[in-house]
Amino acid sequence: MARRRVFGAAAACAGLAAGGTAAWAAAHVRGTPGTRQDPAAAPLALSTVSPDVPRVAWVFSSGGPRGFVHIGVLKGLARLGLAPDLIVGASAGALAGTLWAAGLGAQRLEQLALDLQPWDVLRWNPRGPEWFHGGGLVELVNEALGGRWLEELPVPVACVAVRADNGEAVAFTHGDAGLAVQASSAIVGQLAPVNIGGVRYLDADQRLPLPVRVARELGASRVLAVDASAHEDRAPPSAARYREADLRKRALTLPDARQADVLLHPDTGYWAGWSRAYRERLIVAGETAVRAQAPQLIELHRGRVTSQGRPSPAG
């Protein structure tokens, strides 16, 4: 049991981790190196071009180790020459999305995903009850970003987490990028919540796993959503004990999936894993999903203007 818990936490965290309008707040973490200050409401600056010009958001879901599929999707989108005005991610999607927003590129991001090991992101949590916390994510993300804060990245990005006290979804758009990703990836019951300004934050998976509504609230007029959840309708008989959790996840995902202009739900298979072969297979699955909907994706980005004021490749 202990080994399963350790492995499950590692895989879900490093795997690149309800009704009505989503409750959310833009949050800001500021401070000198080594300090953290209370989050504060902060606007997210999207393009200042004409309101008639579309603002495209890419939304990446939670999904634990299935989140490796996001890397393949990003590779496919790059091959099509597409780019967003905003990235919104939850848990595994927050990690992949933040690294992409920082300009790491498909090749480097794929190498990071294939090289990543549980001990790169997990740290022992002596205070319990969770055995581990995701402090290694802070180091990994901030090192990859060269110490830049979220608002300093080339593409605006929002990392969605949930307040432990009231279940409110919070979109971190400013401040310490690594801390925001850690908060978004604090898997309930497996990784310790993240304390920011006296408030504990948890993984968005059990509240808002596919935060399309957050992207809309932040100003996106068109949304590509990438759902890394299991295809529960393809679950084998041996997975019957997981059916309740699968259906719960689908109920949480559907309201946002319906608000996406284009939805990708790559075929990741049912069982998740951690091996290099599994990661490689999911990256291919993400690329395949993009190719299958390439015409719709190109049309979604048509008319978008780059930050330099030029039409996008799809324009």
Side-chain angles (χ1 to χ4, degrees):
M1 176 65 71
R3 288 185 63 190
R4 287 199 299 272
R5 186 181 182 194
V6 171
F7 184 82
C13 177
L16 273 68
T21 301
W24 66 276
H28 189 183
V29 183
R30 280 199 178 275
T32 56
T35 67
R36 298 195 320 223
Q37 296 184 8
D38 290 353
L44 183 66
L46 295 181
S47 170
T48 56
V49 297
S50 165
D52 296 329
V53 174
R55 294 173 173 83
V56 179
W58 294 353
V59 176
F60 298 103
S61 77
S62 60
R66 294 188 182 92
F68 284 114
V69 79
H70 294 317
I71 307 303
V73 169
L74 288 165
K75 285 184 65 180
L77 293 170
R79 190 171 291 114
L80 292 177
L82 303 178
D85 299 291
L86 168 68
I87 292 177
V88 179
S91 193
L95 176 55
T98 298
L99 295 176
W100 185 265
L104 266 67
Q107 184 175 0
R108 185 178 175 195
L109 197 55
E110 181 176 25
Q111 195 59 55
L112 281 173
L114 294 176
D115 290 344
L116 195 66
Q117 298 298 329
W119 50 83
D120 293 329
V121 296
L122 295 181
R123 298 293 182 266
W124 181 252
N125 181 37
R127 300 178 182 178
E130 296 85 0
W131 290 10
F132 297 96
H133 64 77
L137 276 173
V138 180
E139 302 165 22
L140 183 151
V141 171
N142 287 341
E143 180 179 351
L145 271 55
R148 289 174 292 173
W149 286 5
L150 288 171
E151 67 268 33
E152 297 174 321
L153 302 184
V155 178
V157 61
C159 299
V160 180
V162 169
R163 290 178 57 122
D165 56 355
N166 61 13
E168 179 184 18
V170 175
F172 291 99
T173 61
H174 288 60
D176 189 313
L179 186 63
V181 171
Q182 183 194 6
S184 184
S185 306
I187 304 159
V188 177
Q190 297 187 47
L191 293 177
V194 178
N195 192 317
I196 301 174
V199 177
R200 297 191 308 154
Y201 292 92
L202 297 164
D203 188 314
D205 183 73
Q206 296 196 13
R207 178 70 175 177
L208 199 64
L210 185 67
V212 171
R213 286 169 286 179
V214 172
R216 296 291 189 191
E217 293 279 3
L218 291 174
S221 54
R222 300 178 186 174
V223 176
L224 159 63
V226 185
D227 182 2
S229 65
H231 285 263
E232 71 280 356
D233 55 335
R234 304 180 194 172
S238 58
R241 64 187 181 278
Y242 300 114
R243 181 166 179 77
E244 182 177 348
D246 289 339
L247 294 178
R248 178 197 64 80
K249 179 71 170 282
R250 185 59 54 224
L252 291 174
T253 302
L254 276 175
D256 288 275
R258 289 169 177 156
Q259 290 197 28
D261 296 286
V262 177
L263 175 69
L264 299 181
H265 190 187
D267 183 4
T268 60
Y270 185 79
W271 299 113
W274 182 247
S275 69
R276 184 182 180 93
Y278 175 79
R279 301 181 224 184
E280 290 174 341
R281 180 166 65 78
L282 261 65
I283 290 171
V284 171
E287 294 179 89
T288 300
V290 170
R291 283 197 301 270
Q293 293 185 243
Q296 298 96 311
L297 291 167
I298 292 171
E299 184 61 31
L300 181 77
H301 292 76
R302 192 173 301 282
R304 178 185 167 271
V305 174
T306 67
S307 59
Q308 290 76 33
R310 298 189 297 269
S312 70

